[in-house]
Amino acid sequence: LVLILWALQASGESTLQKLEREIAEVVAKVRPCVVQVRADGLQLSGICWDRHGHVVTAASGVDGAREISVSDAGRRLPARHLASDRRTGVSVLHVEGVQAAGPLPAPGVPKEGLTALVIGNAFGLRGSVSLGTLAGTGCSVLVEGLKFENLLQFQVAAQPGDGGGFVADSSGRLLGMLHSATAAAEDQISDLRGLLVPGPARRAPAVAYAVPTAWIRFSADRIIRHGRMIRGWMGASLLPAGDAVRTTLGLAPGEGAEVVRVERDSPARRAGLEAKDVLLSFDGSPVGDLEALQWKVAAVEEPVTVKIVYFRDRERRASDLRIEIDPQR
């Protein structure tokens, strides 16, 4: 113990110096995976996804763009937009000759309280880094009329141009891709395309949202495999059944999910589901873990019919629901 204490004192390294060194090591590890994306003049960030020239970035910045390019190690190369997943906000680009200069990003495990670093290209300037904390998981937000679910929430100062950036944990593992942000004094959530909201007086957003690595991988792999986004679609928004609802229906804790919205002309509507119905089982399995149900629906690659059981006004009902391919409206 005496020898260890002597060694620590002899090093002369303060806690702050150690923190600075470790942050610099994470940034050096991650930076080779992060590229700059330009789409019709908008500035974004992107993440090198594999050794075959695929880059993932924020769909809001590249959807509909006529001219897209990627900057990598001083080179600016033309990029082709393969497709986007409008449910996650993930787009895949293909760029001949671009690949990560270092190891590909390893997935991290998101847990509330983790230290997180956002490595992006704020205001189009390569090399921006923000330090923050993972504040929540499984978040839902509405951005320009589109609802996104299962997002990670961070207390971090994200800037326009950071959209599509790499969110790393303290070991440099990929927690997610930066998706959107909101300022502390504002309720409106915006994406982080280019210089979307110009003006030096604008406050840096205090809360940012990111797509978790697992959903990035799902969207990217589907797009790369099919050349377009293929995922199952149910067309209903669900929330865990509340205590009062479960008590009324005699359900166990964690059992059941309440339907809060049914999309027009959707499989859920054709199956007869309505808002305030309580879904009990899906394809023979009890409904409790909503993320597991979302994965099950999204994993569908060809239309399939499943049996659902639900309560409406305390009446138990059953119906066939045909999971279709998401039209990505």
Side-chain angles (χ1 to χ4, degrees), residues 140-214:
S140 298
V141 300
L142 193 66
V143 184
E144 297 185 351
L146 294 176
K147 185 178 182 181
F148 298 92
E149 300 178 328
N150 303 310
L151 298 180
L152 306 177
Q153 179 182 316
F154 295 90
Q155 300 297 124
V156 64
Q159 300 285 0
D162 282 332
F166 192 120
V167 183
D169 66 10
S170 59
S171 297
R173 294 182 294 253
L174 179 65
L175 291 175
M177 182 193 77
L178 202 63
H179 177 279
S180 50
T182 180
E186 302 172 3
D187 293 327
Q188 182 178 1
I189 296 175
S190 65
D191 55 41
L192 291 159
R193 297 174 290 172
L195 302 181
L196 184 65
V197 187
R202 184 179 184 273
R203 297 178 60 182
V207 178
Y209 298 92
V211 185
T213 305

Side-chain angles (χ1 to χ4, degrees), residues 47-319:
I47 303 169
C48 292
W49 189 248
D50 58 24
R51 303 294 186 192
H52 305 291
H54 293 111
V55 171
V56 296
T57 188
S60 58
V62 298
D63 274 352
R66 296 182 300 274
E67 185 176 344
I68 305 173
S69 61
V70 168
S71 292
D72 171 50
R75 305 173 299 166
R76 181 166 292 280
L77 301 171
R80 180 167 60 95
H81 178 216
L82 296 186
S84 300
D85 182 359
R86 300 198 76 194
R87 302 293 176 178
T88 59
V90 173
S91 275
V92 179
L93 309 177
H94 185 259
V95 192
E96 291 290 344
V98 166
Q99 59 177 278
L104 292 173
V109 179
K111 296 179 181 178
E112 293 183 12
L114 287 181
T115 297
L117 289 98
V118 174
I119 294 94
N121 302 291
F123 300 107
L125 301 175
R126 182 169 172 81
S128 65
V129 180
S130 296
L131 181 67
T133 304
L134 175 54
T137 61
C139 300
S140 298
V141 300
L142 193 66
V143 184
E144 297 185 351
L146 294 176
K147 185 178 182 181
F148 298 92
E149 300 178 328
N150 303 310
L151 298 180
L152 306 177
Q153 179 182 316
F154 295 90
Q155 300 297 124
V156 64
Q159 300 285 0
D162 282 332
F166 192 120
V167 183
D169 66 10
S170 59
S171 297
R173 294 182 294 253
L174 179 65
L175 291 175
M177 182 193 77
L178 202 63
H179 177 279
S180 50
T182 180
E186 302 172 3
D187 293 327
Q188 182 178 1
I189 296 175
S190 65
D191 55 41
L192 291 159
R193 297 174 290 172
L195 302 181
L196 184 65
V197 187
R202 184 179 184 273
R203 297 178 60 182
V207 178
Y209 298 92
V211 185
T213 305
W215 282 106
I216 301 172
R217 179 183 293 111
F218 171 79
S219 299
D221 288 354
R222 285 290 175 92
I223 290 170
I224 293 169
R225 188 192 321 156
H226 297 284
R228 62 191 182 97
M229 190 60 216
I230 300 289
R231 62 181 295 158
W233 176 53
M234 178 176 167
S237 296
L238 306 173
L239 286 176
D243 292 340
V245 171
R246 289 200 306 270
T247 299
T248 300
L249 299 177
L251 303 179
E255 185 180 0
E258 186 171 359
V259 178
V260 293
R261 186 174 68 93
V262 178
E263 297 179 31
R264 290 182 299 173
D265 193 27
S266 67
R269 186 172 293 276
R270 287 189 284 275
L273 280 179
E274 298 178 0
K276 297 186 179 180
D277 288 346
V278 177
L279 191 61
L280 298 179
S281 73
F282 180 93
D283 196 23
S285 299
V287 172
D289 185 340
L290 290 190
E291 188 171 5
L293 177 59
Q294 290 171 335
W295 277 109
K296 193 169 186 176
V297 172
V300 170
E301 296 187 70
E302 294 182 357
V304 61
T305 299
V306 300
K307 180 76 71 177
I308 59 171
V309 178
Y310 58 96
F311 269 119
R312 177 179 299 164
D313 298 329
R314 302 189 186 185
E315 179 187 351
R316 190 181 183 95
R317 300 188 179 192
S319 178

